[in-house]
Amino acid sequence: MYKKELETKLTNKAEIRAILLYGEEIFLIGYYGEKIAQSLLAKGCEKNSFYFSEFDFQSALECFSQGSLFGDEALVWIKIDKKIPKKQLDSLINSLLKNGFGYLIIEFYQAENKSISEYMADARAMASSFSPSLAKSGIFEVRFFTPNLNEAMMILKEYAQNLKIQISDFNLRKILELQNFDLGLSIAELKKFAIFDQEINAEIVEGLGFSLGSVKLEEILESLLLKKPYFDKLSHFLEQGFEEVALINEVQKYFFVLFLFSSHIRIYGEATSQEVLGYKLPPLLLEQKKHFAILLRESQFESIFYVLNAWREDSLKGANKGNGFLNTLIKIQAILR
């Protein structure tokens, strides 16, 4: 089934005994896995987590065959990026049904060494254990696709409400735009604003969004765009220390804002910050953004965003060894030639 059907089941509090979550949108896999798990834990289930390399089939199976010391039902919550053999999946589901108690959640993610087609082939193979004929017993599989704007906005509004953040739909959309419509990054960005006890306006979104982006960071990127030496500035910046994922966010936002201006200028021939960003920039800064925006071709923006996404993936895998920013700047420098 798909997200809409899952939402209906959750709204109607339909029993979910076992569920496989997979698809193109990583954030939604984890989002709904967490939502389902929390509803089961609220009922008093005992959590048994098996994350990635920790997964052990026999240990997971024993959770359904051995009762809890406290009489609670077992929740087996698996996050994995390698296909679980059908024989093992069938055994887990059959044990759950045979014993009449317990719950199973499997979040299946794409492994770094698998293409999307290979991942989907593995997902379909696993989904075969969650046959539609088992739906009457509460056994389901759900495939997620990239959410559209309305779906993403609904989730952002839910998080804003839970975090007690006062923010308009306009500024929620602004966060999405600054994060290249990446829902996971947008949620992380939104959480920054929980420290405020006032309504979050466009100026706060822009100001805090670039809080890491000090003058020195922008100077590095400006030197890069103007094809001037930037290594001295980079050296001083690196000496101050930084949190890499937050830095990646700021560099992505910097180029995405330029892309917004570039797109608007190509379509309409001119661009004001009010039209592009929804608020006014100081005149000097506006002209600077417009100048840099028209320096780049659409193909160059595409290549730069590809490089920045690769930097993020390497960072999350711990593959940068502290050189991620420098390596990325060198790659962007090559694109700008």
Side-chain angles (χ1 to χ4, degrees):
M1 64 180 173
Y2 302 116
K3 186 178 79 67
K4 185 175 181 180
E5 297 169 85
L6 175 59
E7 278 286 1
T8 299
K9 292 188 183 300
L10 293 175
T11 300
N12 296 334
K13 301 188 183 304
E15 184 174 53
I16 297 175
R17 298 294 304 282
I19 192 163
L20 169 67
L21 308 170
Y22 66 97
E24 290 84 346
E25 178 51 60
I26 292 175
F27 173 80
L28 291 180
I29 296 173
Y31 173 78
Y32 281 101
E34 179 74 23
K35 180 173 281 193
I36 295 167
Q38 291 306 319
S39 68
L40 294 173
L41 293 174
K43 292 167 56 176
C45 289
E46 180 182 25
K47 182 172 73 171
N48 300 269
S49 302
F50 298 91
Y51 295 165
F52 299 97
S53 60
E54 298 174 356
F55 174 68
D56 178 76
F57 164 68
Q58 200 58 47
S59 297
L61 185 63
E62 288 175 359
C63 293
F64 295 137
S65 59
Q66 298 178 357
S68 165
L69 292 175
F70 304 101
D72 299 327
E73 292 193 72
L75 164 60
V76 173
W77 190 1
I78 302 170
K79 297 175 185 276
I80 200 163
D81 59 4
K82 294 181 180 179
K83 181 176 69 173
I84 300 176
K86 179 173 173 55
K87 185 175 180 180
Q88 293 184 4
L89 271 180
D90 289 345
S91 294
L92 287 171
I93 293 172
N94 290 336
S95 178
L96 183 153
L97 294 175
K98 179 181 178 182
N99 293 312
F101 62 85
Y103 299 89
L104 173 65
I105 299 172
I106 300 177
E107 298 176 20
F108 182 47
Y109 296 91
Q110 182 180 348
E112 59 189 56
N113 63 343
K114 293 273 190 176
S115 67
I116 184 62
S117 59
E118 290 172 324
Y119 165 69
M120 287 308 302
D122 287 346
R124 285 192 291 270
M126 290 175 61
S128 66
S129 295
F130 295 75
S131 168
S133 64
L134 296 174
K136 60 182 181 295
S137 299
I139 312 297
F140 307 102
E141 52 92 9
V142 185
R143 177 178 177 178
F144 295 109
F145 296 90
T146 302
N148 59 36
L149 177 59
N150 289 336
E151 292 171 332
M153 285 290 292
M154 288 297 292
I155 292 174
L156 272 183
K157 285 196 279 189
E158 177 186 330
Y159 270 86
Q161 184 176 7
N162 291 340
L163 293 167
K164 296 180 171 54
I165 297 173
Q166 301 176 57
I167 186 169
S168 68
D169 288 359
F170 174 85
N171 286 314
L172 283 176
R173 176 163 179 165
K174 176 179 170 57
I175 291 173
L176 273 173
E177 291 172 346
L178 289 173
Q179 297 300 332
N180 300 337
F181 291 90
D182 184 305
L183 190 51
L185 294 180
S186 297
I187 297 293
E189 187 73 7
L190 180 65
K191 290 179 179 178
K192 290 183 181 180
F193 305 115
I195 62 173
F196 289 86
D197 58 1
Q198 67 182 84
E199 183 171 356
I200 306 304
N201 56 32
E203 287 74 18
I204 294 175
V205 171
E206 178 69 13
L208 188 58
F210 281 87
S211 60
L212 204 186
S214 64
V215 174
K216 290 182 179 178
L217 173 60
E218 293 212 0
E219 284 179 355
I220 293 170
L221 299 177
E222 289 164 9
S223 296
L224 183 69
L225 289 166
L226 294 171
K227 301 180 182 179
K228 293 181 178 180
Y230 58 83
F231 287 103
D232 286 344
K233 295 185 179 72
L234 176 62
S235 177
H236 290 305
F237 179 82
L238 295 178
E239 287 174 0
Q240 298 174 0
F242 59 89
E243 201 280 309
E244 189 165 38
V245 173
L247 176 60
I248 296 169
N249 289 346
E250 303 312 320
V251 178
Q252 284 185 317
K253 283 188 288 188
Y254 181 87
F255 281 103
F256 188 66
V257 167
L258 295 186
F259 176 70
L260 291 177
F261 274 101
S262 175
S263 300
H264 205 277
I265 291 169
R266 284 201 311 273
I267 296 171
Y268 300 105
E270 187 51 65
T272 68
S273 57
Q274 189 70 38
E275 292 170 331
V276 176
L277 302 176
Y279 58 94
K280 290 185 178 180
L281 288 176
L284 186 61
L285 183 56
L286 172 61
E287 292 307 312
Q288 183 189 70
K289 295 291 185 188
K290 289 161 63 176
H291 173 68
F292 287 136
I294 61 177
L295 286 178
L296 298 174
R297 300 185 302 275
E298 188 173 355
S299 60
Q300 289 177 309
F301 276 116
E302 183 178 357
S303 297
I304 289 170
F305 289 136
Y306 178 84
V307 167
L308 294 176
N309 287 336
W311 178 20
R312 177 178 297 281
E313 291 176 6
D314 287 343
S315 175
L316 294 176
K317 292 185 287 189
N320 290 330
K321 298 181 180 178
N323 297 318
F325 190 24
L326 174 59
N327 292 338
T328 297
L329 291 174
I330 292 172
K331 291 175 182 177
I332 295 175
Q333 188 176 30
I335 292 169
L336 298 175
R337 285 175 183 165

